[in-house]
Amino acid sequence: MYGELSWYTYDMFSEIIFRLFAGDYVGALLHFSFLILLFVGIVYLKRWKRFAAAPFEVKYFSVMIPVFLVVLAHAIVSAGSLGVGLLLVFGVLGMVMETILSWIWTLFFKGRVYYYTSDTLAHAYTSWLNFIPWCLGGWMFVSVYRLFSNVVPEQAIFYIALSTIFLLGLTVVMRQLTLNRRRNFSPTVYVSILLCFLFPFSVSVVVFGISMLWLVLALTIFGVVFEYLFGKTIRWLFGRQLWVYQFYPLDEGFSSILNIVPWGIVGICFIAVSIVLRYLW
């Protein structure tokens, strides 16, 4: 371990999460007050005709840039240049990961598990609007890891991340060597793909302890909730849905049952990258 993880100590997400877990709801609300005031301001701006008539991207970044600047300030205070580097890497990493996972899906099944609707990239597998949300999401994941840093060793994180990447790569290669024919969605095949993560994860729970289970469960919950609330908030503010899930959708396609386990994969990979950058920076 690299000890106290002092470089996370003062970031906004960590403080909100810690206060919620400690039952300090007033303190958590105070830390969250900036976002609340921002959204209230946007609600009033919506009544301004010139703002209401502005392009969606202008209205979108009117929310995202202030939020990003606040998180960036916390990152600089708590980690200096490393914090800035992490945020930038997280933004790119998230867009790349969702593109790769979507591409793997298309190797096995007809149709897309989801598609983006605005300012799309890579055949609508991702969107350039996603850069800031992924910056924030990555910072959230390492904040969650802070809760478990004393009981979850780095070796466990690297074992799961590297094993999952290796097994997914092997699965893709094997798929390419067989009949490359896309099939209708099959829960059995989908679960077999998820075993690339679930198998090393199960081994890690046995070897490193039950804390691994709680960490991955927390990452999954935070990932699912963050995605859902972010999508709903943007549509509530500006009337546009940024993505639509097509298989087993929840609430008009803002989320899906199928993306629950992948959020655990994504969270572990973000944490692994943050540890590597900590050592290399």
Side-chain angles (χ1 to χ4, degrees):
M1 298 293 294
Y2 42 83
E4 298 294 326
L5 293 181
S6 58
W7 56 295
Y8 295 142
T9 301
Y10 299 108
D11 76 86
M12 181 173 63
F13 285 121
S14 287
E15 291 305 315
I16 292 173
I17 293 168
F18 265 84
R19 289 177 184 274
L20 286 174
F21 271 79
D24 182 9
Y25 302 117
V26 174
L29 181 62
L30 289 175
H31 277 78
F32 206 64
S33 59
F34 168 78
L35 295 180
I36 295 174
L37 291 174
L38 177 64
F39 290 139
V40 170
I42 295 297
V43 170
Y44 278 97
L45 274 176
K46 288 173 64 177
R47 301 180 180 180
W48 184 29
K49 292 183 179 180
R50 291 188 62 180
F51 181 80
F56 167 73
E57 290 79 7
V58 172
K59 294 184 286 188
Y60 175 82
F61 283 111
S62 69
V63 173
M64 297 310 301
I65 290 179
V67 174
F68 176 76
L69 291 177
V70 169
V71 176
L72 178 63
H74 280 282
I76 293 173
V77 169
S78 59
S81 62
L82 173 61
V84 177
L86 281 171
L87 283 179
L88 298 180
V89 169
F90 288 161
V92 175
L93 177 64
M95 295 172 66
V96 170
M97 286 189 66
E98 66 181 352
T99 301
I100 292 175
L101 292 176
S102 298
W103 171 72
I104 292 175
W105 169 278
T106 62
L107 294 179
F108 289 86
F109 308 117
K110 294 179 182 178
R112 299 185 178 191
V113 64
Y114 69 87
Y115 63 90
Y116 281 92
T117 62
S118 299
D119 302 277
T120 61
L121 295 171
H123 306 288
Y125 290 151
T126 187
S127 167
W128 65 274
L129 300 178
N130 269 16
F131 178 78
I132 293 179
W134 276 118
C135 291
L136 307 181
W139 201 258
M140 176 189 67
F141 284 131
V142 295
S143 298
V144 173
Y145 178 55
R146 177 188 170 197
L147 296 168
F148 299 87
S149 60
N150 292 326
V151 291
V152 174
E154 293 175 354
Q155 299 94 309
I157 299 296
F158 286 122
Y159 167 73
I160 296 177
L162 295 176
S163 298
T164 300
I165 293 172
F166 172 77
L167 291 175
L168 276 176
L170 183 62
T171 300
V172 168
V173 171
M174 295 298 295
R175 175 62 178 168
Q176 295 296 94
L177 293 177
T178 59
L179 292 176
N180 192 16
R181 183 180 62 189
R182 299 179 185 178
R183 300 175 296 194
N184 294 327
F185 176 76
S186 166
T188 302
V189 176
Y190 183 68
V191 170
S192 69
I193 298 172
L194 293 183
L195 286 175
C196 295
F197 168 75
L198 294 175
F199 176 72
F201 164 63
S202 300
V203 172
S204 72
V205 172
V206 174
V207 175
F208 298 103
I210 195 67
S211 296
M212 287 302 306
L213 173 61
W214 304 130
L215 170 62
V216 172
L217 183 60
L219 294 174
T220 300
I221 292 173
F222 274 94
V224 171
V225 171
F226 179 86
E227 177 191 48
Y228 175 78
L229 291 181
F230 176 76
K232 291 286 285 188
T233 299
I234 293 301
R235 194 175 78 167
W236 174 68
L237 289 174
F238 307 126
R240 181 173 297 190
Q241 186 167 339
L242 294 180
W243 60 80
V244 179
Y245 282 93
Q246 301 186 96
F247 288 82
Y248 295 90
L250 299 172
D251 191 13
E252 301 180 2
F254 281 103
S255 187
S256 169
I257 297 174
L258 301 181
N259 74 342
I260 294 177
V261 174
W263 273 116
I265 301 173
V266 171
I268 289 293
C269 289
F270 269 101
I271 294 169
V273 169
S274 74
I275 295 173
V276 171
L277 287 180
R278 169 63 174 171
Y279 282 131
L280 296 179
W281 205 269

